[in-house]
Amino acid sequence: MKQVSLTIILLLSFTAARSQAVFSSLAESFTPVPAPVDRLYGSGQDAKRAHSVITLPPSHLIPLQLYTNFQCTEYIEAAYDDISEPFVLMMMNIPETALKLYSVMVGGWTEYSKIVLVLVDADGCVLDTLEAQVCWGPPAMYAKQARIDENYTITVYSIHAETDTPLPIDRTIPRFRGWREDEEFRVVNGQFVKSNLIRYKPQFYSYPDLTRDLWQGAEIPM
């Protein structure tokens, strides 16, 4: 009985290790993108850099929720199929470390999509994830966006509604009162650590406000 239990434990450990090392073979597929970036899918003509879409194997480590209301309180789960499976858009090296930062799109071929930043060690194992963009479309309408500055600080910009009534995720969204938040994250000891939060005074938002880069808004800090 002990031998059987040990065998099961070893098999589970092996399976867990394989599931975590989902990025182990991707480093050679992408030319690292240097900071700063305003788009989490890279730029340029290098086919290895941004536009060679590489799908990921199934992994419980990649959050698959696709939101069906603007407040991101209701969602469906993406599936590992040809339409909504996660795929890698971009890779960055974190300076002075062996860590790599991957930009992963979930639900990219549907009307729902989000980008998750995934921090990976030298063996391709996932250390941490950060939801960095939530949008719907086309045309794109954002509830959350992010960019990375020259110091590799990640700023996540998000719009929050005061109402709990679910708001639609297209041009039919009514004018609503809400506020913007800017959250800054740094990579510290293999984790995304929040280093700053700026909250802005409430104001009214309408559809056109959500179709531009969120950092271009004229909100007033609290």
Side-chain angles (χ1 to χ4, degrees):
M1 186 66 177
K2 289 184 179 180
Q3 286 184 329
V4 173
S5 299
L6 180 60
T7 301
I8 292 174
I9 291 172
L10 289 174
L11 285 172
L12 290 174
S13 300
F14 177 71
T15 301
R18 285 180 56 86
S19 67
Q20 289 192 21
V22 293
F23 291 83
S24 58
S25 62
L26 290 183
E28 297 179 357
S29 301
F30 289 88
T31 301
V33 175
V37 294
D38 283 347
R39 297 288 179 270
L40 300 181
Y41 43 82
S43 60
Q45 299 301 314
D46 186 350
K48 286 185 176 182
R49 176 177 294 178
H51 302 296
S52 57
V53 170
I54 297 179
T55 56
L56 293 174
S59 169
H60 66 280
L61 300 170
I62 307 299
L64 299 178
Q65 295 86 356
L66 296 174
Y67 302 109
T68 58
N69 66 327
F70 184 82
Q71 294 97 322
C72 301
T73 57
E74 301 174 353
Y75 61 87
I76 58 175
E77 293 280 340
Y80 278 88
D81 54 32
D82 293 336
I83 296 177
S84 61
E85 65 185 343
F87 56 83
V88 180
L89 292 169
M90 180 188 81
M91 184 267 281
M92 306 180 80
N93 292 323
I94 302 300
E96 302 178 3
T97 75
L99 304 178
K100 299 184 184 300
L101 182 70
Y102 289 90
S103 174
V104 176
M105 174 74 79
V106 181
W109 308 126
T110 70
E111 63 186 293
Y112 319 96
S113 74
K114 72 176 181 180
I115 290 179
V116 178
L117 295 179
V118 182
L119 194 62
V120 175
D121 67 13
D123 296 321
C125 295
V126 176
L127 301 177
D128 202 5
T129 63
L130 176 65
E131 186 177 81
Q133 177 174 298
V134 175
C135 74
W136 304 272
M141 182 181 84
Y142 298 99
K144 183 180 291 187
Q145 251 184 317
R147 55 181 178 173
I148 304 173
D149 71 13
E150 64 276 5
N151 298 315
Y152 291 81
T153 297
I154 304 158
T155 303
V156 179
Y157 307 84
S158 55
I159 305 297
H160 302 262
E162 289 184 349
T163 178
D164 293 329
T165 303
L167 295 173
I169 54 174
D170 54 29
R171 64 177 64 250
T172 65
I173 189 170
R175 187 169 180 261
F176 66 91
R177 184 174 169 84
W179 71 94
R180 170 179 148 191
E181 289 184 359
D182 300 350
E183 297 174 281
E184 294 181 1
F185 294 86
R186 301 280 296 173
V187 175
V188 180
N189 297 325
Q191 300 291 310
F192 294 113
V193 176
K194 186 187 296 187
S195 58
N196 193 27
L197 169 65
I198 301 174
R199 180 166 173 167
Y200 295 79
K201 293 181 179 180
Q203 66 174 53
F204 284 96
Y205 290 91
S206 58
Y207 177 73
D209 300 316
L210 310 173
T211 59
R212 64 190 177 201
D213 291 329
L214 299 181
W215 56 81
Q216 293 180 342
E219 293 93 341
I220 300 172
M222 294 285 283

